[in-house]
């Protein structure tokens, strides 16, 4: 939090990457260790309540990596230490044998100094965390795990659109994905007002963009859509009220709303969107925002099943 009351996200993550044969990756920095792609070796730990983690779950399914990278799903709440596996029998992850993801972090870094976050990829043989750098996790699922994609996997990073897509994703991240948090966690009126204006400027830009195209980058689904989706899915249920992003609901923005419903109809998106877990996480964990921890009953999730009318 800045001195002016503006929310500042800690963007320091474990920079290790999993690459084909453990060699230099096709794109991006090499600031940490390189690990080799190996089917069955790694476990993705990702809570469906968390928007950053849900990205990785969706991309894993879109690419057909379910039998290659296993999935552990913590429950919707966490304490000051970390996310826990309360949804699993006995509260223990059945593959890693741990009660909280913190144990995998400490297995490799006993004095790990930063936040214990999801998504995280864990090396199953050692039980230690490999990386929690969420943008690179999904990027590398596409580029580095290509040999294990299913035959009809979508091209989430089309070469001819990549430069523009990077710009779109950066704006989506700073102004929308993180923008709702700047609104919700602002601790001064001035910081909130500025965050609110920035968020709605970006949402109006997206509404206009989707008036003339099916997906963010054109006619085909890309990583950019995955990154925007997790915020849209949480907007009316959480961000509109809980984070005071209340100029309009998603359901009141016709192009964004029909686009979001079309994505929800895709199994990788809809199957991994759990509105009860989402609401429980935000309304219970954020006690400074919602000190009563009361979880609202609405909105009605069946509206997501209405025809999107987009062909």
């Amino acid at each position: 939090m800045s001195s002016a009351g503006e929310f500042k996200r800690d963007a320091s993550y474990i920079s290790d990457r999993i690459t084909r044969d453990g060699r230099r990756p096709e794109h991006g920095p090499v600031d940490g260790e390189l690990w080799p792609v190996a089917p069955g070796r790694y476990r993705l730990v990702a809570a469906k309540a968390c928007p950053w983690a849900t990205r990785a779950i969706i991309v894993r399914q879109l690419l057909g990596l379910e039998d290659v990278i296993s999935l552990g799903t913590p429950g919707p709440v966490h304490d000051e230490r970390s996310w826990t596996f309360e949804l699993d029998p006995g509260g223990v992850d059945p593959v890693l044998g741990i009660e909280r993801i913190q144990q995998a972090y400490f297995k490799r870094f006993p004095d790990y100094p930063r936040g214990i976050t999801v998504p995280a990829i864990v090396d199953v043989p050692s039980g230690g965390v490999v990386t929690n750098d969420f943008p690179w996790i999904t990027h590398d699922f596409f580029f580095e795990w290509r040999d294990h994609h299913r035959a009809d996997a979508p091209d989430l990073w089309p070469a001819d659109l990549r430069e523009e897509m990077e710009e779109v994703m950066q704006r989506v991240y700073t102004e929308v994905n993180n923008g709702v948090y700047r609104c919700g966690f602002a601790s001064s009126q001035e910081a909130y007002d500025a965050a609110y204006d920035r968020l709605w400027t970006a949402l109006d830009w997206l509404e206009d963009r989707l008036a003339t195209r099916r997906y963010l980058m054109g006619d085909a689904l890309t990583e950019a859509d995955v990154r925007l989706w997790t915020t849209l899915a949480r907007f009316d249920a959480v961000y509109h009220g809980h984070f005071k992003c209340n100029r309009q609901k998603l359901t009141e923005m016709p192009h964004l709303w029909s686009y979001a419903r079309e994505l929800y109809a895709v199994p990788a998106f809809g199957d991994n969107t759990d509105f009860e877990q989402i609401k429980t996480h935000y309304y219970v964990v954020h006690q400074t925002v919602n000190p009563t921890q009361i979880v609202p009953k609405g909105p009605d999730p069946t509206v997501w099943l209405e025809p999107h009318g987009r062909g």
Side-chain angles (χ1 to χ4, degrees):
M1 195 70 68
S2 76
S3 58
E6 181 183 359
F7 170 69
K8 299 289 187 181
R9 182 173 296 279
D10 180 3
S12 299
Y13 302 101
I14 302 168
S15 56
D16 291 17
R17 294 176 63 184
I18 300 171
T19 65
R20 190 177 305 176
D21 301 323
R23 63 192 181 197
R24 184 174 183 86
E26 193 171 336
H27 305 101
V30 182
D31 298 326
E33 294 183 29
L34 296 178
W35 300 65
V37 163
R41 176 173 176 176
Y42 304 103
R43 187 160 179 80
L44 171 66
V45 176
K48 290 186 177 182
C50 171
W52 319 102
T54 306
R55 285 186 187 182
I57 301 174
I58 291 170
V59 170
R60 170 181 173 269
Q61 186 168 331
L62 285 171
L63 299 177
L65 295 173
E66 298 99 316
D67 295 332
V68 180
I69 304 167
S70 67
L71 175 65
T73 51
V77 298
H78 60 75
D79 56 24
E80 67 280 357
R81 290 185 289 168
S82 77
W83 299 79
T84 59
F85 293 99
E86 72 265 23
L87 301 180
D88 291 308
V92 174
D93 180 90
V95 171
L96 299 174
I98 57 178
E99 297 177 346
R100 50 178 70 238
I101 187 58
Q102 181 189 57
Q103 293 167 264
Y105 278 74
F106 288 172
K107 181 78 172 180
R108 184 169 175 214
F109 304 108
D111 299 316
Y112 187 73
R114 297 192 290 273
I116 308 293
T117 62
V118 292
I121 294 184
V122 178
D123 176 45
V124 174
S126 69
V129 67
V130 174
T131 181
N132 63 344
D133 198 342
F134 65 90
W136 289 107
I137 287 174
T138 54
H139 175 283
D140 291 343
F141 278 177
F142 180 77
F143 286 103
E144 304 297 334
W145 290 80
R146 272 181 177 163
D147 293 343
H148 305 284
H149 292 182
R150 69 164 184 264
D152 62 345
D155 182 1
L156 296 180
W157 292 77
D160 59 331
L161 298 175
R162 200 163 299 154
E163 183 175 351
E164 182 191 2
M165 193 171 96
E166 292 278 10
E167 295 174 357
V168 168
M169 292 192 301
Q170 181 62 25
R171 187 171 182 184
V172 167
Y173 169 70
T174 59
E175 305 305 297
V176 181
N177 299 147
N178 198 46
V180 292
Y181 286 85
R182 276 201 307 270
C183 290
F185 292 143
S187 60
S188 73
Q189 189 67 51
E190 293 75 16
Y192 165 74
D193 289 347
Y196 181 96
D197 291 344
R198 283 179 62 177
L199 171 66
W200 284 103
T201 296
L203 287 172
D204 286 340
W205 163 67
L206 289 165
E207 175 74 359
D208 291 343
R209 187 177 182 90
L210 288 165
T212 58
R213 60 188 75 205
R214 182 173 182 181
Y215 300 106
L216 283 183
M217 302 311 302
D219 294 331
L221 181 74
T222 67
E223 169 95 7
D225 300 294
V226 177
R227 296 187 179 197
L228 175 59
W229 159 258
T230 56
T231 298
L232 297 183
R234 289 155 177 78
F235 199 86
D236 286 4
V238 175
Y239 302 142
H240 179 271
H242 184 62
F243 277 177
K244 308 179 187 70
C245 304
N246 60 353
R247 192 193 79 181
Q248 289 170 275
K249 296 177 181 177
L250 176 65
T251 56
E252 297 166 346
M253 303 189 75
H255 301 301
L256 275 166
W257 176 226
S258 59
Y259 160 83
R261 294 202 310 282
E262 181 175 8
L263 291 181
Y264 184 75
V266 177
F269 292 82
D271 292 352
N272 296 304
T273 301
D274 188 317
F275 292 111
E276 289 307 313
Q277 286 200 44
I278 288 167
K279 290 190 297 182
T280 298
H281 170 69
Y282 284 91
Y283 286 99
V284 171
V285 171
H286 298 161
Q287 295 182 42
T288 56
V289 180
N290 183 43
T292 65
Q293 298 180 286
I294 292 172
V295 179
K297 295 181 70 173
D300 181 359
T302 62
V303 297
W304 287 91
L305 302 176
E306 295 175 357
H308 52 73
R310 306 182 87 231

